[in-house]
Amino acid sequence: MSAVPDEGTTPEPARPVLAARSATADLALVSTFAAFIAVCAILPAIVLPGMAVPITLQTFGVMLAGLVLGPRRGTLAVLLYLAVGLAGLPIFAGGTGGLAVLGKPSLGYLLAFPLAAALAGYVMTRLSSVRRSLLPLGAFAAATLASLLLIHPLGISVMGARLGLSPAEAITAGATFLPGDVIKNALAAVVATAVFRAFPDLLRARR
Amino acid sequence: MRRRRAQGPRRPPWTGPLGLFHAGSSWLHRVGPGPKVAGLGVLGIAVVALTGVVTTLALALVTVATAVSARLPLRSTTRAVLPVLLTAATVGAYQVWQRGPAVGLEVGLDLVTLVLAATVVTATTRADELLDALVRGLGPLRRVGLRPEVLAMAIGLMLRAVPGLLQTATEVREAARARGLERDPRATLAPAAVRAVARARSTGEALAARGVGD
């Protein structure tokens, strides 16, 4: 793939260090990332050649929140996103929303999101002192760990229980999301690295 | 901005602060959000805990009767429930074939019952009332350090950020298209994410300058 020029990714000039670590700055980061996940979920899906299922970016936004904000703030951002979506704003994948998602077989995936953001953020924090050239790889590992340990197991078991499927049937049905997830995690890793390059303090001051 | 207007009045995916709510005056519209959500919770437990064809049918009938009494527009309700109707039909048919008609009926109907009930609650409750109820309900958490007014503030900040971030996403996508990179997600997503963080930073500074959150 060709190199992407970096203009447009320059941060705002003159950021006082003072505000960077306050509770107010955290509040702004958490609510902005909750909105970012919402925007990712309602943007038109990306259709990649050779892929059966079009990719919505909902899980990408969740993973990015965890990677960029760390376990505590990342989890809060995802919880805020879920609360506002459950309250009836159409910000879940495909422009859905409201309490109806609680009855759908895909509930387990939503329940796993805050946990996945926490795990991805935690692993990323542990890897934050890694060499800069290895950052994308570390971020990809953190996101992949979260989706393999949390999103898919939880999503598949809830779907299996709600639809009365045997474990083997449920896993077969859930596996269709795996290829898209690999792409989304790779994207989240690349984008998180770009954010860390623009705002290095997000990687240094992690809570 | 000007470009979007030139394309004609297309409804944005962001449909405004009322979301999936439909104004009305039925009894369900007048009941407060708390009892409705509690009722939905009870129904959810009942649907999962009670098995058997008779109870499944009874719960489905009660839910349909409630939905009819809310007098919601038929089209939007159908549009909300249609995807899950298809899922229920597919999985129900599969279960009839694999495990017999009783299991198939129960799995399919349970799914439709829950989604229909939740759709009705969402359509008869304003999103801001539901969020207010959530903020009130989290009041007891004050003792463990979570202040409800901070949550209310976060909800407001998030809702305010969505249109701005959507516009950023559109701008970034157009910039990438101008460079012939619109198929490259890195050229569209990375700048959008960096600008979201920059926006959060300036929001944080604006709040701190006004003494909010101390």
Side-chain angles (χ1 to χ4, degrees):
Chain A
M1 291 206 261
S2 65
V4 178
D6 268 339
E7 72 283 324
T9 64
T10 14
E12 303 265 83
R15 282 174 286 115
V17 194
L18 180 94
R21 300 196 53 164
S22 74
T24 319
D26 283 352
L27 175 66
L29 272 175
V30 165
S31 33
T32 308
F33 262 86
F36 188 78
I37 304 172
V39 170
C40 285
I42 59 188
L43 277 181
I46 300 176
V47 185
L48 288 178
M51 289 264 318
V53 194
I55 299 181
T56 67
L57 291 171
Q58 195 179 24
T59 26
F60 160 83
V62 169
M63 288 300 180
L64 189 70
L67 292 175
V68 167
L69 300 183
R72 200 177 64 93
R73 294 176 300 187
T75 310
L76 287 175
V78 176
L79 286 176
L80 178 60
Y81 163 71
L82 291 180
V84 171
L86 285 176
L89 297 191
I91 54 172
F92 291 147
T96 57
L99 297 162
V101 292
L102 293 180
K104 289 183 184 167
S106 56
L107 171 67
Y109 291 97
L110 283 188
L111 291 183
F113 281 169
L115 305 174
L119 181 62
Y122 175 75
V123 175
M124 193 69 233
T125 307
R126 302 312 298 268
L127 295 174
S128 59
S129 52
V130 87
R131 231 184 319 140
R132 291 191 81 181
S133 56
L134 291 179
L135 263 186
L137 209 62
F140 180 66
T144 306
L145 210 61
S147 63
L148 288 185
L149 286 183
L150 291 167
I151 293 191
H152 288 285
L154 257 172
I156 288 174
S157 31
V158 170
M159 181 175 65
R162 291 290 286 118
L163 301 182
L165 301 172
S166 72
E169 291 167 327
I171 291 171
T172 316
T176 48
F177 297 112
L178 270 175
D181 248 29
V182 174
I183 297 174
K184 273 183 262 191
N185 288 339
L187 273 180
V190 171
V191 173
T193 311
V195 173
F196 290 142
R197 204 161 47 215
F199 299 93
D201 58 300
L202 279 175
L203 198 55
R204 271 187 267 110
R206 287 176 75 92
R207 280 177 283 175
Chain B
M1 251 351 252
R2 203 178 301 143
R3 271 196 62 154
R4 220 198 284 164
R5 218 170 284 150
Q7 286 172 354
R10 197 176 47 188
R11 199 169 182 212
W14 177 253
T15 50
L18 293 179
L20 305 166
F21 170 75
H22 289 283
S25 58
S26 76
W27 67 279
L28 270 170
H29 284 89
R30 291 193 299 270
V31 175
K36 269 187 283 195
V37 173
L40 189 62
V42 171
L43 178 72
I45 294 169
V47 162
V48 175
L50 305 176
T51 50
V53 175
V54 179
T55 41
T56 303
L57 275 173
L59 287 173
L61 279 178
V62 168
T63 307
V64 169
T66 315
V68 170
S69 75
R71 276 186 260 143
L72 295 168
L74 187 65
R75 250 186 84 203
S76 63
T77 315
T78 324
R79 202 174 337 128
V81 183
L82 197 60
V84 87
L85 271 180
L86 293 179
T87 313
T90 316
V91 177
Y94 175 80
Q95 292 290 22
V96 168
W97 171 53
Q98 283 286 316
R99 296 184 176 86
V103 178
L105 184 75
E106 179 153 356
V107 164
L109 264 187
D110 277 357
L111 208 59
V112 178
T113 302
L114 267 188
V115 172
L116 178 64
T119 305
V120 169
V121 171
T122 302
T124 56
T125 318
R126 288 166 52 126
D128 48 349
E129 277 180 10
L130 212 54
L131 287 171
D132 281 347
L134 174 72
V135 169
R136 274 200 307 278
L138 289 179
L141 286 184
R142 195 186 291 273
R143 294 196 190 154
V144 294
L146 194 147
R147 290 179 297 161
E149 58 270 24
V150 174
L151 175 66
M153 181 87 193
I155 292 171
L157 285 175
M158 175 195 168
L159 296 181
R160 186 69 199 82
V162 168
L165 290 182
L166 264 178
Q167 201 191 332
T168 306
T170 318
E171 283 170 15
V172 166
R173 209 169 255 205
E174 274 171 17
R177 187 177 303 142
R179 291 183 284 155
L181 290 172
E182 62 178 303
R183 310 281 300 174
D184 187 344
R186 289 174 305 162
T188 53
L189 292 175
V194 169
R195 283 170 71 171
V197 176
R199 185 195 161 91
R201 281 282 150 88
S202 46
T203 308
E205 281 161 24
L207 290 175
R210 285 159 182 78
V212 177
D214 295 327

